[in-house]
Amino acid sequence: MNLNTSLESIKGVGPKTAEQLNRAGLFTVGDLIYFLPRAHEDFTAAGSIADAVPGKVTIRAKCESISTRAVRRGMKVTTAVFGDETGKMRAVWFNQPYRAAQLANPDEEFLISGQYEFKFNQYQITNPTVQKASDIKIESDQILPIYRAVKGLKTTVVRKILNELKTVIQFLPESLPSDVVDAAGVLPRGEALYKMHFPESPQDVLDAKNRLAFEEIFQLLLASRLNKQENTKLESWQISFDKDIVGGFVKNLPFELTSGQRVVAWEILQDFEKPTPMNRLLQGDVGSGKTVVAGIGFVQAARAGFQSAFMAPTEILAIQHAESLEKLLKPFGVSVGVLTGSVKSQARKNILNATENGDVDVLIGTHALIQDPVRFKKLGFVVIDEQHRFGVKQRQKLLEKSEKMPHLLAMTATPIPRSLALTVYGELDVSVIAEKPAERLPIISKIWSPISRDELYEKIDGEIASGRQAYVICSLIDESSKMEAKSVEAEFKRLKNSIFGHRRIGLLHGKMSAEEKDTVMQKFYNHEIDILVSTTVVEVGVNVPNATVMLIEDADRFGLSQLHQLRGRVGRGKWQSYCYFMMSDTKKPSRRLKELENSNDGFYLAEVDLEMRGPGEIYGRAQHGALNLQVATLADTKMISKASKIADNFVQSGENLLQYKELSEVVNKYQRLTTLN
Ligand code: ADP
Ligand code: MG
């Protein structure tokens, strides 16, 4: 019997059980062994009702009565009374009406485990787990694993079959190199999995998880190290650094570069000279001035005879980049072209031709750049702005438009916590612009209650009176939305017809055509509009330095990093800027808003976001799912830095990964997946 043996060949697994297991996605012995418990219940601590004190408790009792009622739409409350010889305990579940059937037999004894607390004027145990006491007699297990009930698969069934596999699990061969296991100081695989399924103490569970988490992180890190190594085998164009060209460009800028910008520009120009492709991630908070750094690369590449492509996630942004870069690049004889979805017919043909015959030095655009008809003469440098908005495939498609692998610069304003930079983004070299241009004042942020809305409008009007501009951000497009969030159109009309009747107000949202959007943005940029009422389409990259106030309606409905990105639209000029987070009600503000009120530091906020939501939420569920992390969390920085060193040592040792079949299979799969945006 090995990991690939089908479950049917296990003693006691008949066709019916096999079918149940298959439905839950479990086909082989390996599937089942790696079907890890979602939790463990410590029934050794089961006590009597009279002894229960608030906190986590487990009791052994019978169910005396149980009933369910609907309290409001979509919410069902099930209440039960448990009793033993010492007393009675009330239990409450939310939206778990099936408990009534589970607990129907008044003579059956159950183990009930959960939070015992004082709530609604009485003591109760809330949302407890329940096990039949008779189910728990499998051998002498005391700490009981609880398995996910996938498609009705019962924990008892899983446990029974695993019991048959005890010896197999114990003697499972090691999947990691032995020096890696030693260096990590973790349990051997078989022992870890055994302790996961058959723990004798809470410590067993911790040790087991520690080993399994280490293995997952190690695989991920190894994949990114190997990808990085492979990148060095690729061939790119060598673009040599011309001090006069770059120096001239920098001298001609309307500002001094910050030292962060200088360092990054230097790193890029160094990478250009190498025969291997640059593969660099540039992180810089909103407003740190990433675009001009790319501009330095463009001028160098163009003057050395190479074309560049600059891809942005929205049309507004692409056009804005094109306008600002053209001003900077033209004096140096570098030509700029724009290609977006709304460049059509003859204009489109012209730009495609000019790109193919090399007349365009820098092609700036949206996703339109990756389409088939776009061909370059000699593409040397690719820049992706706001790279988390693009998928791996899109980036790849752009890179393929060159004979040799072009140099890649991926830019992001969403700071990536260190733990993720090492794992998910591990194959990239990372550059950071930590500071903002010196003249910038930190944005003053305030959470605002709708009760004092008028007071806030006065403040905004004051800013406009002194020559500044404002954003009002709303979350949804039309009024029919169930969320009652302020609709952008309605808000636009309301402001126009009342408080700000004397101001010039513009409207911007995603349902407008690209031309309409562009016209409005251009007007705002030219200060022909005082207040721009907009949805989150302005979130990414838009740059109007004269705008100094932002009011975000229903701020509590947005995510932390999105709010930070939005806020970054102000604070881009030399004036003091303000961001007001308007609550949708008068409740207490969330931690998210409080953190934003207190900090402008994108890196700090990204760590908070990671801690609060977990990487799956932030970096896309699907991708995180594909990583298949069952035990590890990417927020575990300690584990990650430990595993990182061990992975480095392994790669440097030159040991052949193929000796470790299982490990190399997983690592190979990850290699194809990493750099998951
Ligand atoms: P982001 O990093 O968010 O993409 P941008 O590249 O859009 O930032 O730059 C924001 C603004 O700051 C632009 O108006 C740009 O011209 C300006 N800027 C960039 N670098 C500097 C600098 N060193 N000093 C002053 N202003 C700068
Ligand atoms: Mg930008």
Side-chain angles (χ1 to χ4, degrees):
M1 188 176 282
N2 63 35
L3 288 179
N4 297 321
T5 309
S6 85
L7 287 170
E8 275 108 283
S9 28
I10 301 169
K11 198 181 110 212
V13 179
K16 243 179 100 186
T17 312
E19 200 195 304
Q20 244 187 50
L21 293 163
N22 294 354
R23 247 187 292 135
L26 307 173
F27 298 93
T28 65
V29 167
D31 291 342
L32 192 67
I33 291 178
Y34 274 95
F35 187 63
L36 302 177
R38 65 169 171 83
H40 289 86
E41 293 292 359
D42 186 358
F43 291 112
T44 51
S48 59
I49 290 178
D51 292 335
V53 289
K56 172 110 191 187
V57 302
T58 301
I59 56 164
R60 181 187 280 266
K62 290 178 182 169
C63 181
E64 299 183 350
S65 68
I66 184 160
S67 65
T68 296
R69 69 201 154 88
V71 280
R72 60 185 138 83
R73 239 164 44 121
M75 169 72 92
K76 286 197 176 115
V77 175
T78 302
T79 316
V81 175
F82 287 98
D84 67 7
E85 54 282 9
T86 69
K88 297 194 189 310
M89 184 180 283
R90 195 176 116 92
V92 176
W93 295 270
F94 297 100
N95 287 337
Q96 301 180 15
Y98 62 89
R99 295 292 181 189
Q102 183 188 21
L103 294 159
N105 180 0
D107 298 321
E108 179 89 50
E109 222 183 10
F110 295 95
L111 285 158
I112 303 110
S113 186
Q115 204 62 29
Y116 186 49
E117 56 193 2
F118 191 70
K119 238 185 170 174
F120 310 117
N121 281 324
Q122 55 188 323
Y123 282 102
Q124 64 175 41
I125 185 165
T126 313
N127 284 332
T129 62
V130 174
Q131 308 283 318
K132 272 189 201 173
S134 57
D135 280 347
I136 302 192
K137 290 191 187 115
I138 296 176
E139 296 206 349
S140 62
D141 294 335
Q142 296 166 318
I143 298 183
L144 221 56
I146 312 288
Y147 297 89
R148 273 177 297 125
V150 187
K151 308 254 151 107
L153 182 64
K154 286 212 179 79
T155 279
T156 43
V157 174
V158 177
R159 237 182 260 150
K160 200 169 133 253
I161 309 167
L162 277 167
N163 227 40
E164 296 295 324
L165 296 174
K166 267 187 162 170
T167 343
V168 179
I169 297 174
Q170 239 162 347
F171 293 103
L172 267 186
E174 182 52 66
S175 48
L176 292 173
S178 62
D179 42 347
V180 167
V181 177
D182 291 346
V186 293
L187 295 181
R189 170 164 74 157
E191 199 178 332
L193 285 164
Y194 189 88
K195 287 189 165 165
M196 198 70 187
H197 292 297
F198 312 104
E200 279 171 9
S201 68
Q203 190 59 43
D204 279 357
V205 178
L206 292 178
D207 293 344
K209 283 187 175 169
N210 190 46
R211 146 73 201 217
L212 298 170
F214 171 80
E215 181 160 3
E216 290 175 355
I217 297 283
F218 180 76
Q219 291 164 341
L220 200 55
L221 286 164
L222 202 53
S224 71
R225 296 295 191 282
L226 294 175
N227 270 353
K228 196 165 183 169
Q229 228 179 27
E230 279 184 8
N231 194 51
T232 62
K233 290 185 201 135
L234 295 173
E235 200 189 344
S236 187
W237 312 98
Q238 279 177 275
I239 305 176
S240 30
F241 174 42
D242 186 325
K243 204 167 95 247
D244 293 336
I245 290 171
V246 172
F249 180 80
V250 169
K251 226 168 77 196
N252 207 42
L253 289 172
F255 43 73
E256 285 273 305
L257 289 180
T258 63
S259 63
Q261 286 172 316
R262 270 175 210 286
V263 170
V264 178
W266 175 252
E267 286 168 340
I268 292 169
L269 296 167
Q270 294 286 303
D271 285 354
F272 271 7
E273 297 205 306
K274 294 181 190 144
T276 52
M278 169 165 81
N279 200 17
R280 188 169 285 283
L281 178 69
L282 170 53
Q283 293 186 63
D285 209 352
V286 282
S288 60
K290 295 184 289 294
T291 320
V292 70
V293 173
I296 294 172
F298 294 147
V299 81
Q300 174 62 83
R303 293 290 292 275
F306 295 92
Q307 290 174 296
S308 301
F310 187 10
M311 185 157 74
T314 65
E315 183 144 23
I316 293 178
L317 201 55
I319 290 168
Q320 193 181 287
H321 283 330
E323 281 170 2
S324 62
L325 285 168
E326 179 150 40
K327 261 186 243 151
L328 300 176
L329 294 169
K330 217 175 179 174
F332 294 86
V334 178
S335 66
V336 171
V338 187
L339 184 67
T340 64
S342 49
V343 177
K344 296 234 160 70
S345 48
Q346 195 54 45
R348 187 179 147 81
K349 267 187 210 143
N350 292 346
I351 193 78
L352 289 175
N353 280 337
T355 305
E356 186 159 11
N357 65 28
D359 287 344
V360 166
D361 294 314
V362 184
L363 184 64
I364 303 179
T366 53
H367 297 83
L369 297 190
I370 62 179
Q371 290 160 357
D372 290 336
V374 182
R375 279 185 290 269
F376 291 84
K377 191 172 177 204
K378 201 175 179 189
L379 179 62
F381 181 33
V382 167
V383 181
I384 314 262
D385 195 18
E386 311 292 345
Q387 69 92 32
H388 57 283
R389 294 292 185 102
F390 295 96
V392 192
K393 286 213 182 87
Q394 292 169 318
R395 185 164 67 195
Q396 213 53 41
K397 267 189 115 160
L398 193 49
L399 293 173
E400 280 162 12
K401 290 181 181 287
S402 173
E403 275 164 63
K404 294 186 185 179
M405 188 55 111
H407 297 287
L408 171 72
L409 181 68
M411 307 203 291
T412 183
T414 306
I416 294 154
R418 210 182 114 67
S419 56
L420 294 187
L422 280 169
T423 50
V424 183
Y425 293 91
E427 72 187 81
L428 300 169
D429 293 314
V430 179
S431 291
V432 178
I433 304 182
E435 79 269 68
K436 294 196 186 173
E439 59 187 23
R440 306 276 171 77
L441 295 163
I443 301 165
I444 296 175
S445 300
K446 283 223 148 49
I447 302 172
W448 209 270
S449 157
I451 296 173
S452 20
R453 188 175 272 283
D454 291 342
E455 197 185 312
L456 179 56
Y457 286 143
E458 275 170 37
K459 280 178 185 287
I460 295 177
D461 203 54
E463 281 291 303
I464 295 172
S466 58
R468 304 285 80 75
Q469 288 161 280
Y471 292 100
V472 174
I473 307 294
C474 306
S475 56
L476 291 163
I477 296 269
D478 59 54
E479 209 133 11
S480 63
S481 154
K482 286 197 201 88
M483 277 174 66
E484 294 166 30
K486 270 194 189 303
S487 106
V488 63
E489 304 238 16
E491 186 62 5
F492 167 73
K493 285 193 194 121
R494 194 180 72 81
L495 294 176
K496 200 177 161 81
N497 297 330
S498 57
I499 315 107
F500 291 116
H502 59 302
R503 299 293 181 200
R504 298 165 300 176
I505 308 194
L507 173 66
L508 185 72
H509 60 70
K511 295 242 168 96
M512 289 160 60
S513 75
E515 275 146 348
E516 288 170 319
K517 275 191 265 185
D518 191 34
T519 312
V520 173
M521 265 333 286
Q522 199 59 48
K523 277 188 166 171
F524 191 58
Y525 190 77
N526 296 342
H527 202 170
E528 290 157 28
I529 288 174
D530 299 308
I531 304 176
L532 184 63
V533 183
S534 170
T535 57
T536 53
V537 290
V538 296
E539 177 192 344
V540 168
V542 169
N543 186 35
V544 180
N546 192 50
T548 55
V549 201
M550 175 172 282
L551 160 57
I552 303 177
E553 293 287 351
D554 301 305
D556 33 296
R557 299 194 202 276
F558 293 93
L560 196 153
S561 63
Q562 197 180 16
L563 287 168
H564 179 64
Q565 293 278 314
L566 280 167
R567 172 169 67 182
R569 300 309 106 215
V570 296
R572 298 183 148 243
K574 52 180 178 287
W575 304 278
Q576 177 62 57
S577 286
Y578 306 88
C579 183
Y580 299 100
F581 301 114
M582 182 65 81
M583 301 277 294
S584 47
D585 52 35
T586 49
K587 292 207 188 95
K588 241 173 65 185
S590 59
R591 166 159 177 221
R592 232 177 24 244
L593 290 183
K594 285 195 200 137
E595 294 279 7
L596 279 156
E597 189 176 43
N598 292 326
S599 173
N600 267 313
D601 179 345
F603 280 88
Y604 168 74
L605 292 171
E607 300 283 353
V608 171
D609 208 20
L610 180 64
E611 176 199 322
M612 284 172 62
R613 292 197 298 156
E617 288 292 331
I618 301 178
Y619 298 92
R621 274 227 166 277
Q623 285 141 340
H624 190 237
L627 289 180
N628 202 20
L629 300 181
Q630 279 209 76
V631 187
T633 114
L634 291 180
D636 189 347
T637 42
K638 263 198 201 139
M639 170 76 80
I640 290 171
S641 37
K642 177 166 105 175
S644 177
K645 284 191 201 103
I646 299 174
D648 277 338
N649 289 342
F650 180 79
V651 172
Q652 274 156 26
S653 76
E655 233 189 303
N656 187 358
L657 180 61
L658 293 175
Q659 301 169 64
Y660 309 97
K661 192 164 165 287
E662 277 179 68
L663 177 63
S664 72
E665 272 168 19
V666 180
V667 168
N668 265 319
K669 196 189 80 193
Y670 281 160
Q671 275 190 273
R672 276 172 269 128
L673 270 173
T674 43
T675 322
L676 303 152
N677 295 271

